[in-house]
Amino acid sequence: MKQPALAAVLLLALLPTVARCLSTNETEARLWFTEFDAKLAVEKNKVVEASWANAVNLTKENAQKVVEANLAHTEFLREQRAEMRQRFDWKQFSDRNLTRLFDKADDIGTSAANASMQERYGQLSTQMSGIYSTAQVPHPDTGKMMQLDPDITDALADPNESERVKRALWQGWRDASGKRMRQNYTDFVTMGNLMIREAGYSNIAQYWQSWYEPRPGQNFTDMMAKLWDVALPFYQQLHAYVRRKLRDKYGAELFPETGHIPAHLLGNMWAQSWFNVEKLTTPFPDLSTVDITEKMNKLGWNATKMFRVSEEFFTSIGLDPMTDTFWEKSVLTRLPDVKMVCHASAWDFYTNKGDFRIKQCTSITTNYLGTTHHEMGHVQYYQQYEKQPVLYRRGANPGFHEAVGDTLELAVMTPGHLHKIGLLDEIIESKDYYLNYLFQMALQKAAFIPFGYLIDLWRWQASEGRLAPEKYNEGWWKLRCGLQGVSSPVPRSEDDFDPGAKYHVPNNTPYIRYFVSHFLQFQLYEALCNISGHNGPLYKCDFYQNKQAGDALKKFLAHGSSLHWEDVLSELTGTTELRADSLVRYFAELNEFLTEENKKSGERVGWDADCPSADWYTTTTSAPETTTLAAGRAATSGTVGWWAAVGAAALARRLLAV
Ligand SMILES: *[C@@H]1O[C@H](CO)[C@@H](O)[C@H](O)[C@H]1NC(C)=O
Ligand SMILES: *[C@@H]1O[C@H](CO)[C@@H](O)[C@H](O)[C@H]1NC(C)=O
Ligand SMILES: *[C@@H]1O[C@H](CO)[C@@H](O)[C@H](O)[C@H]1NC(C)=O
Ligand SMILES: *[C@@H]1O[C@H](CO)[C@@H](O)[C@H](O)[C@H]1NC(C)=O
Ligand SMILES: *[C@@H]1O[C@H](CO)[C@@H](O)[C@H](O)[C@H]1NC(C)=O
Ligand SMILES: *[C@@H]1O[C@H](CO)[C@@H](O)[C@H](O)[C@H]1NC(C)=O
Ligand SMILES: *[C@@H]1O[C@H](CO)[C@@H](O)[C@H](O)[C@H]1NC(C)=O
Ligand SMILES: *[C@@H]1O[C@H](CO)[C@@H](O)[C@H](O)[C@H]1NC(C)=O
Ligand SMILES: *[C@@H]1O[C@H](CO)[C@@H](O)[C@H](O)[C@H]1NC(C)=O
Ligand SMILES: [Zn+2]
């Protein structure tokens, strides 16, 4: 009796494996993988080549080539996945590294869906990025058509431009961009979820969050909420201080009693960086602030010089110089006589021969000096992990890739360093001088944090179906008012679609990576400063020429995504946690100062959770112009033209870093 029973059990246990003929032979798997990896590099290279050709020369033909390359690429991924699923039982491998690689090869995202779904998804994407990149807005006085870059951007940044014109452009941009893609975006959400289910995820939000590899018991969204909680008190102080200064400049009648700052007064279309209101808000206006735009121009710097200066910082700590191909093929200034995508980006061509490039329409400003370091940080990552299998040529998580260049930027922008490289004649060693400096950094780095958070909070809600399409804009403003403390200068409704007025939404680029990066970069900066033996306030640390710091950074980057990000992080910083305390330490003196000043002036710290009521807009003097502005809506052409190109580029965007 015993024996037949045992045999039956054995047979049952063996059946599934036998029936599928799955191999657990790791030697064989490694051989298969090596071949796959080589083919993958070639396939990716084709997509990137096509996307580049298009991005620097937007034409219909070039756009079509991107679409074709993308379709071929998704087909390749589906084929390879099918083959590997037929042949290997990789979960049983004893080599964890090999299992990790197979898991990554198996996880092909929306490429899992069939070609007809790819095509429809691509059309929606093309439509939306086309609307975004061709949107134009008439100037409220002259009627002259204006583009976002540089015309509208400059007008919002200009402290001398009138509130009336800023408001008109703020609304006009949203009429011409987001509003026109509302239905397309709704369809896009439905479509994306349908496609990602083929890959085993319940929705796009879950898929995007999976890139952060939450460990058992870990909850990614809670982790993000915790970071925000720690940063919030400082953000509130900064917000209150800036609000008071702007109210002095623009008049109290424009500011609702709810405590929100009207979003068009912060110097940026999305109020994501407040750098441009520095002159209006700086604590000690009489003390020379660090204005290096003027200095760079006086010294005759051009784009090449800015990139050389950035490169020199990297090589000074022992990282690699840019390759010959980089200097040969990068596009560092706007090309004449072609339409091109100017949004700065860094590109890995997967050639194993040092083909990395940056495409950036550089102008000689402080902002672009920062962007230059940011993009070059991406290239350094590419260089350091070039020897890894293609599937590991990624940041440890997406936030890591965004943090590298910014970490160096924190050192480069110190007055001490700017002096060393000839951009600053004198440093005034006073507390007030450094408060001005910290304030300038806070307007860029701290002001960004709630914005960096809310974009994907909104997209997760939409993707998970917690926010109904009929409430898309209401949900958006709940976050803008509630988290960021800014309000719309004009009434909003569900005829509008304000998320679509931000590049990353129509172009389907995840955003939480920038939020992660804004904490991580301070953590990395502090760790490298510690390694370099820095003494004194964190914000004065410059690890220029420090080889120990460079070696540590090199090792950190070379891992790519071969390890879980917690392990990569702890090797450098000693903690597995993303933490806000380095950022808090960096800004501590400014926080103390702002808290004191807000107390002295009696300024309310914080704001209501809810946006100003509809009544406020009708009783205030701030909205007389909405009717004339309606004309702005029709300002863009609805035809599919060369701009189809831009949408096609969006399809390939997951392959590169922006
Ligand atoms: C595993 O595969 C390799 C390469 O195909 C082969 O040489 C080896 O004999 C296989 N090992 C086993 C135990 O089947
Ligand atoms: C731009 O692309 C078109 C093909 O669509 C090509 O004919 C043209 O030569 C390219 N222009 C430049 C400057 O490369
Ligand atoms: C993981 O496996 C791949 C493929 O065999 C190999 O190229 C890579 O060096 C391995 N990485 C580690 C960290 O063992
Ligand atoms: C593609 O997949 C969708 C969803 O599963 C399905 O409805 C459709 O029929 C498929 N199309 C083709 C051509 O296989
Ligand atoms: C996008 O939406 C518009 C209507 O708002 C519609 O005419 C167009 O066909 C849509 N595009 C796609 C690709 O579905
Ligand atoms: C704004 O106006 C002031 C005073 O007229 C002038 O000094 C300054 O250069 C102007 N700023 C800009 C950015 O145009
Ligand atoms: C994470 O926690 C939130 C509550 O804070 C919960 O709503 C969500 O479902 C959790 N996510 C996962 C993946 O467990
Ligand atoms: C920048 O100036 C140098 C000479 O100082 C010149 O060789 C180079 O071509 C210029 N680069 C650009 C992008 O204008
Ligand atoms: C840097 O050193 C300080 C002082 O020893 C320590 O408190 C801090 O945690 C260190 N930070 C990092 C990121 O290593
Ligand atoms: Zn980036």
Side-chain angles (χ1 to χ4, degrees), residues 23-29 31 87:
S23 162
T24 55
N25 181 331
E26 295 181 25
T27 313
E28 194 191 326
L31 283 171
R87 287 187 54 182

Side-chain angles (χ1 to χ4, degrees), residues 54-65:
N54 184 49
V56 299
N57 177 16
L58 290 167
T59 69
K60 218 170 179 169
E61 297 83 61
N62 292 342
Q64 188 52 35
K65 285 184 190 153

Side-chain angles (χ1 to χ4, degrees), residues 140-152:
D141 297 332
T142 65
K144 177 182 169 265
M145 296 312 281
M146 297 169 81
Q147 295 188 329
L148 181 63
D149 272 316
D151 314 340
I152 302 175

Side-chain angles (χ1 to χ4, degrees), residues 157-161 279:
D158 184 352
N160 292 347
E161 184 55 270
K279 291 212 163 56

Side-chain angles (χ1 to χ4, degrees), residues 84 139 166 191 213 267 279 281 332 349 373 474 531 588:
M84 129 192 174
H139 189 281
K166 282 178 196 269
M191 203 58 211
E213 301 185 75
K279 291 212 163 56
T281 57
L332 305 183
F349 283 73
H373 285 86
E474 186 188 323
I531 290 168

